[in-house]
Amino acid sequence: DYAARPEFTDPEILRTNLASVMLQMAAIGLGPIADFPFLDPPDTRTIKDGMSVLHELGAVGDGQPGTRGWLTDTGRILARLPMDPRLARMLVAADENACLDEVLTIASALAIQDPRERPLGKEEAADQMHARFRNDTSDFLTWLNLWDHVSSERQQRTSNQFRRMCRKEFLSWRRIREWQDLRAQLRRVTRDLRMHPNRRSAPPDLIHASLLTGLLSHVGRKDPDRHTYRGARGTTFSIRPGSALFKASPEWVMAAELVETTRTWATGVAPVDPETVERVGTHLVRRTVSDPWWDAARGAAVARETTTLYGLTLGTDRIVLYERVDPEVARDLFIRNALVAGEWETHHDFAVANAERLSEVLDIETRERRFDLLRPDDELAAWFDARIPAGIASSVSFDAWWKEERTRAPDRLMWTIDDLIDPGAPPIDERAFPRVWSYGDVDLPLSY
């Protein structure tokens, strides 16, 4: 068996995520990672995964991969933080959300091995000790409770007393020390980057929103028929039994890590709502808009929108303005339904006059028992399209333009009878269908 083993273990570059390596190479300007002369070139699949992570974090744009121009402003900051890009992204967001102090504690805890120990044969006693720090709503907030405890105990005890306390409470003294040192180092780095820790305690929703910026591909929605979660790109995972949310099973969760053993387990779990996921991951969300129609109450064309993130449906049947999706189609719907058909709530004089002219033409068609007198809707829509500036696709934008235009040309949008009658239609015979019938001194109006 020994002789059959490889002579050397695989280099780490072949076994790890390359997002951090690619980020540093781009910051230095070493060019595309695929062109760099590594002794052991990484697999194209790991390169692709690394690029996917950087895009998820908003660290790179559309520039040439591997160059400084490839990095966004966020990416340049992440390159200066000495930690995993996912955790670094949390710190950048925490500075913006005024919760840097709490996220420094959580991110540094996620960067090290869990200091909570469960010795063989003493699992129940260890779980009872660790339960004091548990936050029933979030595994991430549990880290804050543990940090407050060890910080308070460290100040009140000598070094030896603190070690004994850690041993008694099933905590690894070395990992606690590593946690403290790492947090202090990150605190100095963030200060150099002009990030400012908050002085007041931050609400949990801001803390979780900041953590979510680094965990967008670790979001999952509960399967209604099973005790599992549907994750990004078709993955399926379950909440680890030791989590505070194992029994609660919220509909949406985010996980600090997805560990694959016999199953895929989510560790470090917190609930999250799809609205927050959509807001934080707006650069990754795919929007599908369908079935546009005219909404007279809104005075604009609207449609139904469905949003997804890595295959997870965040929202369905949301009503959105179609002008933002397809301005040309929205403009056409506005002209045809509002200006031609009159399906809108308006007070403009030309709309009242046009309705009267249209009624006159329809009355002539009724009197003459014909249906070929009025111009087709396409021609009437083209008439308005030629008289209204481009970019107007709703009653709001129209009112803003017409407010000034009507003072210069009040008759610009008023129809005449000739505008409405199709020039190719047979002429009108007014004698065959009189409007008044006279008998002696009496004139009787006629209707048809």
Side-chain angles (χ1 to χ4, degrees):
D1 180 73
Y2 177 78
R5 295 182 182 182
E7 186 177 1
F8 301 102
T9 57
D10 291 336
E12 185 177 2
I13 196 170
L14 302 180
R15 298 181 283 110
T16 187
N17 187 290
L18 298 178
S20 180
V21 175
M22 297 171 68
L23 187 66
Q24 297 299 328
M25 291 181 65
I28 300 172
L30 295 180
I33 188 172
D35 299 337
F36 193 81
F38 288 108
L39 294 177
D40 296 286
D43 186 71
T44 55
R45 184 176 56 181
T46 60
I47 295 177
K48 183 179 179 180
D49 291 343
M51 294 182 67
S52 178
V53 171
L54 295 181
H55 280 291
E56 175 188 336
L57 302 178
V60 296
D62 298 326
Q64 178 63 33
T67 64
R68 293 186 179 92
W70 189 42
L71 300 181
T72 61
D73 292 339
T74 299
R76 295 184 182 92
I77 298 176
L78 298 185
R80 298 179 61 184
L81 289 167
M83 61 192 312
D84 183 273
R86 289 188 181 274
L87 302 179
R89 184 66 183 88
M90 299 175 186
L91 298 183
V92 175
D95 181 52
E96 299 171 354
N97 294 333
C99 56
L100 182 59
D101 187 71
E102 289 84 356
V103 176
L104 273 171
T105 301
I106 297 172
S108 55
L110 297 177
I112 64 171
Q113 191 173 349
D114 195 331
R116 294 168 293 186
E117 297 179 329
R118 298 180 77 243
L120 187 63
K122 300 181 179 179
E123 293 88 345
E124 185 176 350
D127 291 341
Q128 291 178 353
M129 279 291 182
H130 299 160
R132 297 175 300 159
F133 317 121
R134 173 176 294 184
N135 185 298
D136 293 332
T137 63
S138 169
D139 291 340
F140 294 103
L141 300 183
T142 295
W143 289 113
L144 299 181
N145 296 337
L146 179 58
W147 176 263
D148 291 340
H149 173 71
V150 296
S151 297
S152 175
E153 293 294 330
R154 184 66 186 88
Q155 293 176 357
Q156 300 175 12
R157 300 173 183 269
T158 64
S159 180
N160 288 333
Q161 289 174 340
F162 184 69
R163 287 192 186 191
R164 288 194 294 269
M165 185 274 297
C166 289
R167 190 180 306 110
K168 179 181 178 182
E169 298 184 359
F170 300 99
L171 300 173
S172 170
W173 175 81
R174 293 184 181 278
R175 295 173 192 165
I176 292 291
R177 183 67 180 271
E178 182 184 3
W179 185 12
Q180 294 172 330
D181 291 343
L182 179 57
R183 188 186 186 281
Q185 293 168 13
L186 293 176
R187 179 74 177 270
R188 289 193 294 269
V189 174
T190 54
R191 187 184 300 116
D192 294 339
L193 294 175
R194 297 183 179 180
M195 297 182 182
H196 305 287
N198 49 298
R199 297 182 179 180
R200 297 181 179 179
S201 298
D205 57 337
L206 289 182
I207 297 174
H208 288 134
S210 301
L211 298 174
L212 180 61
T213 58
L215 303 174
L216 288 170
S217 60
H218 292 180
V219 172
R221 183 178 187 179
K222 192 174 187 306
D223 190 324
D225 302 324
R226 305 174 63 185
H227 296 290
T228 59
Y229 284 80
R230 299 173 182 173
R233 303 184 183 94
T235 60
T236 301
F237 63 84
S238 303
I239 298 178
R240 185 175 64 87
S243 170
L245 299 176
F246 176 69
K247 294 183 179 179
S249 298
E251 182 178 4
W252 286 87
V253 297
M254 63 176 178
E257 188 178 10
L258 298 177
V259 181
E260 294 186 13
T261 54
T262 54
R263 298 169 58 181
T264 301
W265 297 101
T267 62
V269 177
V272 66
D273 59 87
E275 290 79 10
T276 303
V277 175
E278 182 177 344
R279 175 174 55 83
V280 173
T282 182
H283 60 293
L284 301 171
V285 171
R286 291 188 176 183
R287 306 179 186 277
T288 304
V289 179
S290 60
D291 303 328
W293 76 92
W294 172 254
D295 190 330
R298 290 184 173 90
V302 297
R304 301 186 186 279
E305 181 186 61
T306 300
T307 55
T308 60
L309 174 70
Y310 294 132
L312 287 174
T313 301
L314 301 176
T316 58
D317 291 339
R318 182 181 304 161
I319 305 302
V320 297
L321 293 177
Y322 200 65
E323 182 180 2
R324 301 174 183 174
V325 181
D326 192 333
E328 294 299 325
V329 174
R331 173 183 172 86
D332 183 66
L333 289 172
F334 167 69
I335 292 176
R336 290 176 179 272
N337 291 274
L339 299 179
V340 176
E343 298 175 358
W344 62 329
E345 299 176 5
T346 183
H347 57 278
H348 298 308
D349 294 337
F350 80 86
V352 178
N354 287 350
E356 293 176 355
R357 298 292 85 76
L358 180 62
S359 179
E360 292 179 16
V361 175
L362 294 177
D363 183 59
I364 295 173
E365 283 191 335
T366 303
R367 287 191 294 116
E368 297 198 9
R369 305 296 192 269
R370 57 192 292 186
F371 303 98
D372 59 350
L373 195 59
L374 184 65
R375 286 178 182 266
D377 287 349
D378 290 344
E379 295 184 13
L380 296 178
W383 188 91
F384 279 111
D385 186 56
R387 289 165 173 76
I388 298 176
I392 293 178
S394 67
S395 60
V396 174
S397 57
F398 176 85
D399 290 344
W401 167 75
W402 185 243
K403 182 178 181 181
E404 300 293 334
E405 183 63 20
R406 67 185 178 185
T407 61
R408 294 189 292 267
D411 299 335
R412 181 181 179 88
L413 299 180
M414 283 190 180
W415 282 329
T416 64
I417 295 295
D418 292 336
D419 292 327
L420 294 175
I421 294 179
D422 190 345
I428 302 172
D429 187 358
E430 291 288 350
R431 294 175 300 175
F433 299 93
R435 294 177 178 274
V436 177
W437 179 59
S438 299
Y439 182 78
D441 295 336
V442 179
D443 294 330
L444 301 176
L446 302 178
S447 61
Y448 296 82

